[in-house]
Amino acid sequence: DHVFERRIGIDPCGIDENSELYALTGCDAPQFRPGALKHPEAGNATGLVSCTAFALSDASSYAPGHRPMYALDEVLHTWWQPAAEDAAPYFAVSLGAGYYISAVRLLWKDVGLNFAENVYPGAYRYVIEGAATEDSADWFTLVDASENTEDLSVDYRPFEERLLGKIRIRILGAPKGVIPGILNFTAFGES
């Protein structure tokens, strides 16, 4: 994390009928793990799509310049960040009429990360919840990472498919000295 963000992608490659090497690149949707398909170079998509890009969002708070919409804008230079005094931050997305959701991907932003000051990356603790309709107040747990100890800057969590009208993350803890930010929150599923 410096003046830009970068991510590493792993894409399936193949050799065509002219003995030319090619790769299926530029995909931002879930792919099957290596070895799951006999010929991933012919197509490796799971069929899940982003159901949250540019959707309506809400949050418990936000720091100046880091509104909730920035967690859904598909840009790695903007992010949602809760206000400094927010003791129980959450970020929520309205899914409208509903989508069958079965995975979430979080791209975390380690605000305040500073190796020279002994502020290191680490695990985030959180819970992801869903509600059946946009106007429901009955939240149910989709992902319980409240005891998470794994440091993942790109955090992908599959779960049993559910029809959702809205989805949210409640952040329960961040690495010492780091303010949690979300570069990108994506729920994957089918409409």
Side-chain angles (χ1 to χ4, degrees), residues 57-62 68 80-82 86-93 127 129 139 167-172 182:
S57 58
D58 183 30
S60 54
S61 67
Y62 62 89
W80 167 71
Q81 177 182 325
D86 191 344
Y90 75 82
F91 171 80
V93 181
V127 174
E129 300 168 315
W139 293 95
I167 188 169
R168 75 176 174 189
I169 180 172
R170 290 187 299 114
I171 300 172
L172 306 175
I182 298 179

Side-chain angles (χ1 to χ4, degrees), residues 26-29 49-55 68-79 105 107 182-188:
C27 182
D28 198 31
V49 297
S50 170
C51 298
T52 49
F54 303 100
M69 66 184 177
Y70 293 134
L72 302 173
D73 67 359
E74 303 289 326
V75 177
L76 292 179
H77 298 291
T78 61
W79 64 90
R105 182 191 61 207
L107 303 182
I182 298 179
L183 286 164
N184 185 266
F185 179 93
T186 307
F188 292 104

Side-chain angles (χ1 to χ4, degrees), residues 76-154:
L76 292 179
H77 298 291
T78 61
W79 64 90
W80 167 71
Q81 177 182 325
E85 66 277 0
D86 191 344
Y90 75 82
F91 171 80
V93 181
S94 171
L95 298 173
Y99 290 94
Y100 290 97
I101 304 296
S102 59
V104 171
R105 182 191 61 207
L106 298 155
L107 303 182
W108 293 102
K109 175 71 173 177
D110 298 325
V111 180
L113 185 68
N114 187 329
F115 290 93
E117 299 291 326
N118 296 320
V119 179
Y120 299 109
Y124 287 90
R125 294 182 299 107
Y126 60 90
V127 174
I128 295 176
E129 300 168 315
T133 63
E134 281 187 298
D135 56 355
S136 175
D138 296 325
W139 293 95
F140 46 84
T141 300
L142 300 167
V143 175
D144 184 350
S146 60
E147 300 297 324
N148 182 44
T149 58
E150 193 171 9
D151 176 17
L152 299 168
S153 61
V154 179

